Amino acid sequence: MKNVIQLLLLIVILSGCQQQDSYDKVLLTDDFSSIRRGPYSVDVGAHTEYHYLHEAAPRSQWAVSTFTWDSDFKHAWHVRQEGDDRQMIQVMTNDRKQHTHPMVVAGDHDWENYSVSMQFTPQSKEFQSGLVFRYRNDRNYYFTGVKGDSLILKMVDDAKGFHQPYEVILGSAFVGWDEDELLTLKVEVEDNKISCSIKEVTIDAEDDTYPKGKVGLLADVPTKFHRIEVKTSNDELQKLKTSRDAYTLELEKISESVPEMKVWKKINTTGFGVGRNLRFGDLNNDGTLDVLVGQVVNHGPQDRNSELSCMTAMTFDGDILWQTGTPDPWKVNLTSDVAFQIHDLDNDGKSEVIYTMNRELIVADGATGKIKYKKTTPMVTDQEVISPETHNMFGNILGDCLYFCDLRGKGYDSDIIIKDRYERVWAMDDQLNILWYSKLNTGHYPFAYDVDEDGKDELLIGYSLLDDDGSTMWTLEDKLEDHADGVAVVKYTEDADPIVMCAASDEGLFFADLDGKITKHHYIGHGQNPAVANFRDDLPGLETISMNFWGNQGIIHFYDASGDIYHDFEPNQYGSMLLPVNWTGKSEEFFIVNPNVDEGGVFDGWGRKVLDFPDDGHPDMCNAVMDITGDGRDEIVVWDPNAIWVYTQEDNSSQDKVYKPLRNPLYNYSNYQTTISLPNWEEL
């Protein structure tokens, strides 16, 4: 019997050694020696909400996963050297924002079972520092590390309220260590088993929340990270290869029915080009779309007071129709809307350009740019302090944006909504007479809908619904923080009532009925740039997608017609307009992340990249989507301040009828619009 017991013990020991030794295939190893010294974080701020910027791209295999609008957060990560030791260093103390943490990440989302060994030197015990593993995104992951005199292991799963992260401590143990002491942290994950240790102190736990994911460095206090190594087994490598090969075959099958891109137009805009500040419409009334390029002057501070400085009207052949203002190649950056649109304001079949410049609201002829009439923009009379440091620094508003709707029941959108940045909104008629004024939390961009079916539009703006006369029908301002980034009223299925959808910045995204009762509230982080379309035929009704930004930029969520999240993924760490694209002329639409060859592409409702942008030197800062050629399918417009390119499909449509969704009118175009794309078929 004794020999049997000894044999069993030997088998257990040997099997344990075999398991320990099985993680001998390197997935990642980094001592940061290949990374150039200096700041690693890049202060791109709000620019990457809807611009792709090359300077924001990762300089190594480590991507900066989080930043906020705070200067120290935007400059948190550096690469420095002490003697022969090159280090990735987090330099700030994150003592104000516990819903987001300085973090850099590396690896692949499909890593499942692996071990990690990491050397790091926390310089304070005040807050946490350590390792993120099985990272799905920077709101969903496991963390282990030190905080105070404890080794902790926890699971993080989004939030349970505004700035209230949902965290479950899976284990905690005392560990004696000193500030500025070099620590070695070891982690092993196999199926639902988790083990982590520092200085011979070990925590073992079981949890099924995250079966796989990347690794990351996280620190809420100044911390030096010296070295990290991730290993797995040969069996795991084979599993990875098998699943990746299968996924590649799946994408190849999908791509067979997705036309490739080809360049249709190229336009040089050097000197008068701009970032994401184009408008599209038929300026010269010839039945085809033209382009209006709006350069911007930022009076400061930052983007609090911005307006047009120059407009250039041109065709997609590059012929300039007219120009007003003085072009300046330095006035190309913007992180806000400015007020200008192309619209047939008087419904006579000819386009006008409506815009603000020099604190005047102007209506001009679309074909020539000649001013038809104008008025001084509204004066702010209820702001306590007006100075060069505040919004509305000139007294009269500059005009944050323009939106057109039908408040008077005329049957077409002849009424004008103009607002300041965040607090005030005016409604005007087509002769620029003020109809009403309201002070409220405006959010970024409104949405009109005839809610009570009286032939006149109501206005969903910020967290409030206003009647056609400007009176408040309901408001959620007393229930919600922050501001609305994107709003809409949507009928998600044919037999359902329309409902309100709101991407509410740090409040996440919520749905409400037409009486203002919130029916579903997802605390996903900073939600913005939502889009609604038929992204999946196998699901009933329409789907919604949203983008995360401040504090957790780059996470994309997918919602079904019931408002439930059915998928999320994080293709990169930037924002995006998430514009739906009707590329195939069939019933399922795709969406664009960005136009970059490596980090962008066109994705479907499952989060699969179905189409790459060509590696042809195209501009990739901005993109827009619309049918320009007239075949019912969308073209993709990409641009930067120097050039505009247009992509169309390589094939010619041979369908008897084409899917041509009904979208927001181009005269209500904004960097903060909720893009609505409703099903519609047309005979060819």
Side-chain angles (χ1 to χ4, degrees):
M1 183 67 179
K2 180 178 179 181
N3 291 338
V4 172
I5 294 173
Q6 288 176 335
L7 179 61
L8 290 173
L9 287 172
L10 181 61
I11 291 171
V12 170
I13 292 170
L14 289 175
S15 64
C17 293
Q18 184 177 6
Q19 177 61 53
Q20 184 71 27
D21 292 339
S22 68
Y23 287 152
D24 58 358
K25 304 298 182 183
V26 175
L27 287 172
L28 178 151
T29 183
D30 205 340
D31 61 2
F32 312 109
S33 60
S34 64
I35 307 175
R36 181 169 53 86
R37 289 177 293 177
Y40 195 78
S41 302
V42 179
D43 184 1
V44 291
H47 288 92
T48 53
E49 288 188 79
Y50 33 79
H51 297 91
Y52 178 82
L53 300 180
H54 287 261
E55 55 266 39
R59 289 168 41 202
S60 72
Q61 63 186 324
W62 297 94
V64 177
S65 192
T66 58
F67 60 77
T68 71
W69 49 89
D70 294 327
S71 178
D72 52 356
F73 217 121
K74 289 186 286 188
H75 299 89
W77 293 95
H78 293 248
V79 175
R80 298 176 184 169
Q81 188 152 337
E82 294 181 4
D84 294 331
D85 183 23
R86 186 73 59 93
Q87 305 159 358
M88 178 73 78
I89 301 178
Q90 200 289 104
V91 300
M92 70 167 285
T93 298
N94 181 31
D95 57 357
R96 289 176 290 174
K97 291 181 170 61
Q98 291 309 300
H99 63 284
T100 184
H101 309 276
M103 192 184 309
V104 293
V105 297
D108 290 304
H109 72 278
D110 56 358
W111 288 359
E112 188 171 344
N113 296 321
Y114 53 81
S115 66
V116 186
S117 177
M118 184 183 77
Q119 292 181 324
F120 68 120
T121 305
Q123 297 179 275
S124 170
K125 294 187 177 185
E126 186 177 6
F127 300 111
Q128 64 186 2
S129 61
L131 176 76
V132 167
F133 59 99
R134 283 189 173 170
Y135 164 106
R136 192 169 84 203
N137 57 59
D138 47 48
R139 295 178 61 84
N140 299 93
Y141 56 85
Y142 294 112
F143 168 83
T144 186
V146 290
K147 180 181 179 182
D149 288 316
S150 295
L151 169 65
I152 59 173
L153 170 64
K154 66 181 177 181
M155 182 274 294
V156 180
D157 185 6
D158 266 319
K160 55 188 177 182
F162 180 78
H163 290 181
Q164 300 173 45
Y166 179 72
E167 301 180 351
V168 176
I169 300 297
L170 302 177
S172 178
F174 173 81
V175 59
W177 66 283
D178 297 318
E179 294 178 350
D180 287 320
E181 179 182 353
L182 177 64
L183 301 175
T184 299
L185 173 64
K186 294 187 177 181
V187 174
E188 186 171 302
V189 285
E190 182 180 4
D191 299 329
N192 70 341
K193 298 178 178 62
I194 305 170
S195 179
C196 55
S197 63
I198 286 180
K199 299 181 72 172
E200 300 182 355
V201 176
T202 300
I203 296 174
D204 294 313
E206 293 186 3
D207 189 81
D208 295 298
T209 308
Y210 304 120
K212 55 189 174 182
K214 302 179 181 182
V215 296
L217 316 178
L218 182 156
D220 284 326
V221 293
T223 302
K224 302 173 184 177
F225 293 91
H226 307 275
R227 180 179 176 83
I228 183 171
E229 186 172 64
V230 184
K231 292 183 176 181
T232 193
S233 67
N234 189 63
D235 287 346
E236 287 295 314
L237 285 181
Q238 290 303 312
K239 283 171 58 179
L240 284 173
K241 183 179 185 304
T242 299
S243 64
R244 291 173 181 179
D245 288 347
Y247 187 60
T248 298
L249 289 174
E250 181 182 347
L251 293 183
E252 288 176 353
K253 185 176 180 180
I254 294 170
S255 67
E256 292 174 0
S257 60
V258 180
E260 293 292 325
M261 297 185 195
K262 71 174 181 180
V263 177
W264 182 63
K265 298 285 185 181
K266 293 182 183 181
I267 308 170
N268 184 359
T269 59
T270 302
F272 63 88
V274 73
R276 201 174 196 286
N277 206 41
L278 304 186
R279 298 293 184 267
F280 306 94
D282 185 4
L283 287 166
N284 57 4
N285 311 302
D286 65 352
T288 62
L289 291 178
D290 304 304
V291 187
L292 191 59
V293 183
Q295 290 190 326
V296 176
V297 55
N298 298 296
H299 297 289
Q302 298 178 324
D303 62 2
R304 291 185 188 176
N305 296 280
S306 302
E307 65 174 329
L308 284 173
S309 61
C310 176
M311 282 193 303
T312 304
M314 60 192 301
T315 70
F316 269 108
D317 290 323
D319 298 325
I320 293 181
L321 302 174
W322 52 266
Q323 189 175 75
T324 185
T326 302
D328 185 341
W330 281 30
K331 292 180 178 176
V332 300
N333 297 315
L334 73 158
T335 55
S336 67
D337 276 340
V338 290
F340 76 125
Q341 302 284 12
I342 304 170
H343 181 37
D344 180 6
L345 186 60
D346 54 11
N347 201 33
D348 69 347
K350 297 180 180 179
S351 293
E352 283 78 43
V353 172
I354 305 94
Y355 65 100
T356 62
M357 188 180 286
N358 300 320
R359 298 181 296 287
E360 292 181 319
L361 179 55
I362 301 167
V363 179
D365 179 72
T368 65
K370 182 179 179 181
I371 294 175
K372 299 175 73 171
Y373 52 96
K374 63 182 180 178
K375 279 191 178 180
T376 303
T377 56
M379 173 69 73
V380 174
T381 59
D382 52 5
Q383 183 171 313
E384 290 186 8
V385 177
I386 292 179
S387 77
E389 300 301 315
T390 67
H391 293 285
N392 305 313
M393 62 188 296
F394 299 106
N396 294 86
I397 67 168
L398 296 175
D400 178 69
C401 63
L402 292 172
Y403 185 90
F404 299 94
C405 56
D406 185 10
L407 300 173
R408 294 174 290 162
K410 296 179 67 174
Y412 62 96
D413 292 341
S414 61
D415 300 315
I416 304 168
I417 302 297
I418 187 170
K419 61 185 278 291
D420 68 1
R421 188 72 168 134
Y422 287 114
E423 292 188 275
R424 297 166 184 84
V425 58
W426 291 260
M428 298 179 175
D429 64 20
D430 53 333
Q431 296 301 306
L432 314 184
N433 301 304
I434 294 176
L435 299 174
W436 49 258
Y437 162 76
S438 184
K439 185 177 182 182
L440 72 167
N441 180 347
T442 65
H444 280 302
Y445 202 64
F447 189 92
Y449 196 95
D450 184 7
V451 172
D452 54 12
E453 299 181 341
D454 65 349
K456 301 176 183 179
D457 282 334
E458 281 67 52
L459 192 71
L460 182 63
I461 182 166
Y463 295 142
S464 303
L465 182 67
L466 306 185
D467 207 346
D468 53 80
D469 62 359
S471 59
T472 300
M473 300 177 69
W474 52 258
T475 184
L476 298 173
E477 288 189 14
D478 58 338
K479 297 179 176 64
L480 299 169
E481 303 286 341
D482 222 319
H483 62 264
D485 262 298
V487 297
V489 177
V490 185
K491 189 176 174 67
Y492 276 91
T493 60
E494 290 184 4
D495 57 350
D497 293 328
I499 62 173
V500 170
M501 187 279 301
C502 178
S505 51
D506 277 16
E507 281 279 5
L509 186 141
F510 68 84
F511 297 88
D513 63 26
L514 293 183
D515 293 321
K517 179 184 177 182
I518 295 176
T519 55
K520 291 190 178 173
H521 195 157
H522 300 287
Y523 293 101
I524 58 167
H526 190 101
Q528 61 182 53
N529 299 114
V532 179
N534 179 46
F535 293 112
R536 285 180 56 170
D537 282 342
D538 65 320
L539 296 178
L542 304 176
E543 291 74 52
T544 302
I545 55 177
S546 69
M547 171 59 70
N548 277 39
F549 200 70
W550 297 111
N552 31 74
Q553 62 277 5
I555 307 170
I556 298 174
H557 288 86
F558 300 71
Y559 314 79
D560 62 24
S562 298
D564 295 318
I565 295 173
Y566 71 82
H567 182 54
D568 66 71
F569 79 131
E570 187 185 65
N572 49 50
Q573 275 71 30
Y574 322 115
S576 168
M577 289 291 295
L578 295 182
L579 297 174
V581 55
N582 174 33
W583 190 251
T584 65
K586 300 175 183 177
S587 53
E588 279 187 345
E589 295 197 63
F590 304 141
F591 66 92
I592 299 172
V593 171
N594 67 61
N596 183 256
V597 174
D598 292 321
E599 294 193 283
V602 178
F603 290 73
D604 69 6
W606 285 262
R608 302 172 297 195
K609 186 191 287 192
V610 297
L611 184 62
D612 283 307
F613 280 86
D615 189 4
D616 55 5
H618 65 269
D620 58 8
M621 177 185 283
C622 314
N623 71 90
V625 171
M626 68 208 71
D627 177 16
I628 303 173
T629 64
D631 73 348
R633 300 180 297 178
D634 285 325
E635 277 64 54
I636 300 174
V637 184
V638 298
W639 74 92
D640 63 17
N642 296 309
I644 300 171
W645 289 26
V646 182
Y647 285 107
T648 192
Q649 297 80 4
E650 252 188 358
D651 68 337
N652 295 317
S653 179
S654 58
Q655 300 164 218
D656 294 332
K657 65 177 184 177
V658 66
Y659 188 73
K660 190 172 183 179
L662 303 175
R663 301 244 178 89
N664 317 52
L666 288 172
Y667 55 75
N668 286 334
Y669 204 74
S670 166
N671 289 327
Y672 303 95
Q673 69 187 43
T674 295
T675 304
I676 306 295
S677 193
L678 302 178
N680 180 63
W681 290 90
E682 288 191 4
E683 300 289 337
L684 292 180

